[in-house]
Amino acid sequence: MTAPMTDGSGLQAGLKNRHLSMIAIGGVIGAGLFVGSSSGIATAGPGILLSYALVGTLVVLVMRMLGEMSAANPTSGSFSAHADRALGRWAGFSIGWLYWFFWVVVLAVEATAGAKILEGWIPAVPQWGWALIVMVVLTATNLVSVGSYGEFEFWFAGIKVVAIGAFIVVGALAIFGVLPGAHTDKAGLGNLTDHGGFLPNGPGAILTGVLLVVFSFMGSEIATLAAGESEDPQRAVTKSTNSIIWRIGVFYLGSIFVVVCLLPWNDPSIKEQGSYVAALDSLGIAHAGQIMNFIVLTSVLSCLNSGLYTASRMAFSLGGRGDAPKAFAKTTSRGVPMAAIIASVVFGFVAVFFNYAFPDTVFLFLVNSSGAVALFVWLVICASQLRLRRIIERESPEKLVVRMWLYPYLTWATIALIVFVLGYMLTDTEGESSGRTTVLLSLAVAAGVLAVAVIKERVRGGQRLTVADTDTDTDKVSVG
């Protein structure tokens, strides 16, 4: 068995194998799958399946690279720590802080989404009150121990997995007309081609669909961060990496395939109710809307729970490497980085406030400026793997228990695909949250963080030089 990762820091191996398995499975099922798929279907029709397949392939390749590096060196900093070693301190600093920024903004988005659902059930508590309650409860969970985070995530992710599995089974039975008591007059494989063809809005809609679905895949990498606090990090990383293909195939492609077969892609209920609710409603299943609201709420809470964990562990890793306040790297007796968690949740609370006070200005800026971070993270993972693979092969080839396929050709192909997606986003100019706005604002924030990283590195280098000169002078004096 591989020794548990501690980073020399006090983090404890409090996650069990069942926790890691469910975190890995649940990590790819974000609330965006339930909430955002309707706009993708409306844009690309049944061809949205190709959009999901394209992004899914991209995620599988990126996760393979990350799995290779993380299995060789499991750490709470994951790709930020790998970038630090492969590309330089500036890279680890920049991508670490951008990733932290992404997740603390997600905290505000998900807290608000959950609050809307809860307010609909219990209107006596205002929406901001529900957002506050949800954030406080999950903060407390993360502060207790990593095991309590793992336990909550095990059940949250478990509900998501069971729900999607049941949806696929029920939907498949309805598609083939063998679901007893269901209204299946609209269902059938014919929905893939009968309403304007498989690509009713043309092949270009596939790429537009990619822009709409790419961000719902963010979270796949959480398992590599969490693996550092498991009993056997190398085994956990290897297992989660090897299972990514079937997870994306079943939960994304499988469930979306069922949706577009149960209903015509242009059925107005898909946009009005959401794709999954509309699909269940079309079968005449009682209380379909409330059932799906419960599942979406579970996904939101899961995303919040994991988002706070992920942001805090990235802050912890940055603190340990001297790229964040040293307090972030300190842990309690239970192995919890309290300062990193509190700092992350405070920013999350501030973002929630902005969402209610300035939704169309400050909060919109936060959302747009963090929107393309997922693609930046994937690019850095690719670049890091190109360099780190050679280092690992030279220094400790026995650690390459996970290997990227067709290295380096597939790595370069993945980089080209990510750059293409970013370039295509620049052609999207519709709305306040257009692809162009998202990319440009995200690039501006990234440039700001990078500038801080470069200045910090120069200051650090200058300090080293000063210390070296002092040492030299001291040597001269002592010799004389």
Side-chain angles (χ1 to χ4, degrees), residues 379-410:
L379 263 181
V380 168
I381 289 172
C382 294
S384 300
Q385 191 265 343
L386 280 174
R387 293 284 303 277
L388 212 52
R389 171 67 170 265
R390 293 197 295 270
I391 295 172
I392 298 171
E393 283 181 331
R394 183 174 66 250
E395 296 179 357
S396 46
E398 72 282 356
K399 290 185 177 180
L400 280 172
V401 293
V402 176
R403 288 175 179 266
M404 177 59 184
W405 306 297
L406 297 176
Y407 168 83
Y409 308 109
L410 262 184

Side-chain angles (χ1 to χ4, degrees), residues 1-6 11-21 23 74-76 146-147 223-238 309:
M1 178 182 289
T2 305
M5 186 282 295
T6 63
L11 283 185
Q12 296 177 2
L15 294 176
K16 300 175 181 176
N17 286 333
R18 65 182 177 88
H19 293 154
L20 261 295
S21 296
I23 288 169
T75 170
S76 62
V146 68
T224 63
L225 280 91
E229 291 176 82
S230 69
E231 297 167 347
D232 190 348
Q234 193 177 77
R235 178 177 176 273
V237 169
T238 304
Y309 171 84

Side-chain angles (χ1 to χ4, degrees), residues 218-247:
M218 194 66 169
S220 308
E221 68 292 326
I222 291 174
T224 63
L225 280 91
E229 291 176 82
S230 69
E231 297 167 347
D232 190 348
Q234 193 177 77
R235 178 177 176 273
V237 169
T238 304
K239 188 176 179 182
S240 66
T241 303
N242 290 337
S243 64
I244 187 75
I245 296 175
W246 73 259
R247 284 187 275 136

Side-chain angles (χ1 to χ4, degrees), residues 9-169:
S9 57
L11 283 185
Q12 296 177 2
L15 294 176
K16 300 175 181 176
N17 286 333
R18 65 182 177 88
H19 293 154
L20 261 295
S21 296
M22 202 55 76
I23 288 169
I25 295 172
V28 297
I29 311 172
L33 174 62
F34 300 106
V35 180
S37 55
S38 54
S39 56
I41 292 171
T43 299
I48 194 66
L49 286 166
L50 296 180
S51 303
Y52 273 104
L54 190 61
V55 179
T57 301
L58 182 60
V59 172
V60 166
L61 294 173
V62 170
M63 280 300 296
R64 187 75 186 181
M65 295 178 225
L66 182 55
E68 177 182 288
M69 295 184 290
S70 295
N73 180 31
T75 170
S76 62
S78 188
F79 51 84
S80 173
H82 303 323
D84 197 309
R85 184 183 177 195
L87 306 175
R89 294 291 296 271
W90 63 270
F93 177 96
S94 302
I95 207 63
W97 277 114
L98 284 174
Y99 191 70
W100 179 87
F101 174 57
F102 171 85
W103 277 110
V104 292
V105 173
V106 166
L107 291 182
V109 173
E110 300 295 344
T112 304
K116 285 180 181 177
I117 295 173
L118 289 165
E119 187 190 30
W121 291 344
I122 308 176
V125 179
Q127 197 178 112
W128 66 265
W130 278 121
L132 182 65
I133 290 169
V134 165
M135 290 277 277
V136 168
V137 169
L138 291 177
T139 301
T141 300
N142 275 265
L143 285 172
V144 172
S145 70
V146 68
S148 64
Y149 154 73
E151 200 62 36
F152 265 71
E153 192 56 26
F154 176 80
W155 292 106
F156 285 153
I159 291 171
K160 288 191 293 186
V161 170
V162 170
I164 293 187
F167 175 80
I168 292 172
V169 171

